[in-house]
Amino acid sequence: MATYPSIPRHVAIIMDGNGRWAKERGRPRIEGHRAGAESVTEVLKGCIEQGVEYLTLYAFSSENWSRPETEVSALMTLLNHFLKAKLKDLDRQNIRLLTIGQLDRLPAKTRALIERTEAHTANHTAMTLVLALSYGGREEIVAAARSLASDAAAGKINPADIDGELFASRLQTAGIPDPDLLIRTSGEMRISNFLLWQISYAEIVIVKKFWPDFGKSDLAEAIEEYQRRHRRFGAL
Ligand code: IPE
Ligand code: IPE
Ligand code: MG
């Protein structure tokens, strides 16, 4: 039987429940998002301590654009603050920032902050933080199919040569190993259009807590749960 590293190399998280966390306290939803940003900082620290190499965070989905304009713009403002405040931290901690998603839909200011942070941290090696922003798994798969189809139409590739590896190389996650562990907070048992291709063999851990209540110890527990799993990848 093959053995796998006991620490997941790549952890992906659907950070859910910010709104409900705020509602429970009689506070506006945006306060839940603010508290959620604190969890991001703590979980990032936890990942470094545990030796996780890649952390992908679902911060804003393609479908989240259909929320009320006030919430969307508050989220974008919060994201701008996060990017400004975190640049120094990421730098000091030797963390590289990458983003996936339809970034052209984001406000120009946010895009500029992302570009600056990505460029500034491009050679960092301790860990990679991947922010999924305006991200949808189906949109990503469709874009990959479109790029292959256009190369085939131009005679650059032969359709018969398209295999899983070539396909994955056209996804925005090209070069990033697939997630080993997928965590979703707030107890919801669904994927909500996150990393559809990449999670085919991820171990899924659903945590009841809302995202703002999720911290390092919860990450450690999820990793322990992962370590108790027996990954078979379809074999025996
Ligand atoms: C997750 O919390 C953050 C985003 C999707 C941006 P929600 O905003 O989905 O919070 P709930 O699920 O409504 O509680
Ligand atoms: C998934 O949460 C998206 C993010 C965490 C960014 P949602 O709250 O948007 O998902 P649904 O609506 O419960 O499926
Ligand atoms: Mg939600």
Side-chain angles (χ1 to χ4, degrees), residues 8-12 54 56 173 176-182 194-195 197-203 226 231 233:
R9 195 172 170 209
H10 184 172
V11 175
Y54 295 85
T56 299
T173 50
I176 299 173
D178 287 342
D180 301 291
L181 169 61
L182 172 69
F194 191 40
L195 300 175
W197 171 280
Q198 298 86 341
I199 59 165
S200 62
Y201 269 102
E203 294 297 328
Y226 166 85
R231 301 184 86 185
F233 296 95

Side-chain angles (χ1 to χ4, degrees), residues 6 14 19 62 71 84 112 147 175 188 199:
S6 57
I14 303 173
S62 307
E71 174 153 345
K84 274 189 214 154
S147 112
E188 230 70 78
I199 59 165

Side-chain angles (χ1 to χ4, degrees), residues 14-16 58-61 64 67 184 190 192:
I14 303 173
M15 310 184 287
D16 196 21
Y58 204 7
F60 194 85
S61 75
N64 289 151
R67 292 190 180 192
R184 180 164 184 152
R190 56 175 172 262
S192 303

Side-chain angles (χ1 to χ4, degrees), residues 56-58 60 98-103 106 118 130-136 140 171-174 176 194-195 198:
T56 299
L57 297 175
Y58 204 7
F60 194 85
L98 294 178
T99 46
I100 54 173
Q102 296 177 311
L103 299 195
L106 296 173
E118 283 188 335
V130 184
L131 286 185
L133 294 168
S134 185
Y135 175 86
E140 184 190 33
L171 296 170
Q172 289 190 293
T173 50
I176 299 173
F194 191 40
L195 300 175
Q198 298 86 341

